[in-house]
Amino acid sequence: MGVHRLSRAEARRIAVRAQLLDAARPDGLLDLVHGLTLLQHDQTAAVAPNAHHIAWSRLGPAYSPADLTRALESRELLDLRGLIRPAGDMALHLAEMAAWPGDSSWRAAMLEWVRANDACHRDILRRLEAQGPTAAKQLPDTCVVPWKSTGWTNDRNVLQMLEIMIARGEVAVSSRLRGERQFDLAERVYPAMTAVPLEEARLLRNERRLGALGIARARAAETMIEPNGVGEAGEEAVIDGVRGKWRVDPAQLDQPFEGRVALLSPLDRLVYDRKRMVDLFEFDYQLEMYKPVAKRRWGYWALPILDGDRLVGKVDATADRKAGVLRVDAIHEDEPFDETEVVREIESLAEWLGLEAAGSIAV
């Protein structure tokens, strides 16, 4: 098979279609999550929690957050390390859990910390076995060696122990109570299934990831849980005007494309890998919630605007639930777009949230 040569527009359309953001909407939430492979949990609710926003941006007003609650309660979807995945995909993760820490030196250091706190580790297992779903704050800290970190997990011993136990496949998130994770023994949460062997599972996960991205680099910037690269999955491609080689899902080649307008979450996978976003869409964007107000160009939680196969601007919006409004402080236009369609999408978002659109709903 030769190298596929794509225009930038063709590559963008492949990416948009693979992310289920074209005009053909998915059939429902389960179909959506299977196609995307994951929804990222993030409780920031400046507009809506990320998992719900992602689902709404694909499914439209027919989506209800209760749909996700029901799918998690029925175990059709599972909460694995902050990512909501189809239950059937668990077979692709079990071997990696069993092999933890693998060949990673920093995970090996984590294992030594667990061994140093073996009594705490065993105590958590005993309590979960006896109590069932339990919040981290309800588990006593019996660690003798504190967890040291320069980040927010410093001295949060129970929480760090639980995260490691999830990675090892001992513990799972059973549910969320008012946004707080409830932990239980993994055997009570995950379906009984045979693990796909480790190397085969990695290849299949790369293929699933490429199917959800459409086009990606073989190797890309690392993230903590879900890689951005796809290894040797798919077929080789080059994009006119973009340096380097890509991997493309052959099922996405030569397919018709009909776009639409969508307001994306800042954590949407179409923009999550910022390097890929720039390469494909030439879009200038950053999440500015951690910047001082005076240094923000677009807003605390600005929503990228997708128009067909282009990222054309940002909507600076905030859900003011006390006032009952979706407050739009600005619409930033990077490229010309149909203002009527963007305003209609803002109003649709407000209606879905049970709010009234208010503020600067004009460019």
Side-chain angles (χ1 to χ4, degrees):
M1 178 64 66
V3 177
H4 299 283
R5 180 171 292 277
L6 305 170
S7 69
R8 214 184 219 123
E10 288 172 325
R12 290 197 302 266
R13 289 172 183 175
I14 286 171
V16 170
R17 190 169 50 241
Q19 273 290 291
L20 308 179
L21 282 164
D22 60 339
R25 294 184 186 268
D27 290 335
L29 180 63
L30 297 181
D31 183 46
L32 167 69
V33 181
H34 179 77
L36 297 182
T37 75
L38 60 86
L39 294 179
Q40 181 180 341
H41 252 311
D42 188 279
Q43 296 304 305
T44 304
V47 173
N50 182 68
H52 296 314
H53 189 143
I54 298 292
W56 169 81
S57 65
R58 274 76 174 173
L59 297 171
Y63 169 71
S64 168
D67 298 340
L68 180 55
T69 300
R70 284 191 293 267
L72 289 167
E73 288 175 347
S74 67
R75 305 284 194 246
E76 293 172 287
L77 300 177
L78 297 171
D79 187 335
L80 176 60
R81 302 184 70 192
L83 301 177
I84 299 166
R85 297 185 182 273
D89 281 4
M90 273 305 301
L92 303 178
H93 298 270
L94 296 174
E96 186 173 72
M97 291 174 171
W100 195 95
D103 56 5
S104 166
S105 58
W106 66 271
R107 285 197 296 264
M110 288 182 175
L111 180 58
E112 289 304 311
W113 179 78
V114 172
R115 287 171 173 166
N117 290 295
D118 183 63
C120 178
H121 173 229
R122 292 178 181 276
D123 182 61
I124 289 174
L125 287 173
R126 282 194 299 268
R127 290 177 184 274
L128 292 181
E129 182 177 16
Q131 298 170 195
T134 306
K137 66 184 181 184
Q138 296 172 317
L139 296 167
D141 181 359
T142 60
C143 289
V144 294
V145 178
W147 175 257
K148 294 299 180 186
S149 168
T150 56
W152 71 278
T153 60
N154 188 57
D155 277 338
R156 298 193 178 196
N157 302 322
V158 170
L159 189 59
Q160 185 60 33
M161 184 68 75
L162 287 166
E163 296 289 357
I164 293 172
M165 293 167 79
I166 289 173
R168 295 174 67 173
E170 297 175 298
V171 164
V173 174
S174 172
S175 60
R176 294 189 180 229
L177 184 61
R178 292 182 290 278
E180 186 173 20
R181 292 181 296 173
Q182 307 294 301
F183 299 91
D184 202 351
L185 299 181
E187 64 199 48
R188 294 174 177 164
V189 178
Y190 299 151
M193 57 177 59
T194 302
V196 175
L198 185 58
E199 289 307 314
E200 181 184 354
R202 286 174 175 163
L203 292 174
L204 290 172
R205 284 165 60 183
N206 282 343
E207 290 177 5
R208 291 273 287 129
R209 189 178 310 113
L210 180 59
L213 297 174
I215 187 164
R217 300 283 191 180
R219 281 182 290 213
E222 290 293 325
T223 52
M224 285 293 292
I225 300 172
E226 180 72 6
N228 292 317
V230 296
E232 296 306 304
E235 297 173 0
E236 192 171 298
V238 293
I239 302 172
D240 292 341
V242 183
R243 296 178 62 181
K245 295 179 179 179
W246 296 74
R247 306 298 297 183
V248 65
D249 178 4
Q252 292 284 357
L253 293 169
D254 302 318
Q255 296 296 313
F257 178 82
E258 182 182 354
R260 62 181 176 88
V261 170
L263 301 180
L264 307 182
S265 162
L267 304 181
D268 197 290
R269 288 183 85 196
L270 196 70
V271 299
Y272 190 79
D273 180 346
R274 305 298 198 226
K275 177 65 168 61
R276 174 178 178 268
M277 175 194 73
V278 171
D279 284 342
L280 296 184
F281 294 91
E282 301 175 279
F283 186 55
D284 186 14
Y285 179 74
Q286 294 178 0
L287 178 58
E288 297 183 311
M289 63 186 293
Y290 300 111
K291 286 186 176 183
V293 173
K295 293 187 176 182
R296 293 175 189 157
R297 291 186 287 171
W298 307 303
Y300 176 87
W301 192 253
L303 312 179
I305 303 169
L306 176 69
D307 184 1
D309 66 354
R310 300 174 305 135
L311 290 166
V312 295
K314 304 96 177 170
V315 174
D316 180 9
T318 306
D320 186 341
R321 292 170 176 84
K322 288 185 178 179
V325 299
L326 177 66
R327 198 175 310 283
V328 178
D329 290 322
I331 300 176
H332 303 279
E333 183 180 29
D334 293 16
E335 297 183 33
F337 56 75
D338 187 333
E339 181 180 335
T340 301
E341 288 297 319
V342 172
V343 170
R344 183 178 293 126
E345 196 70 4
I346 292 170
E347 291 172 342
S348 176
L349 174 59
E351 183 178 359
W352 175 71
L353 291 168
L355 306 173
E356 293 287 335
S360 303
I361 53 173
V363 178

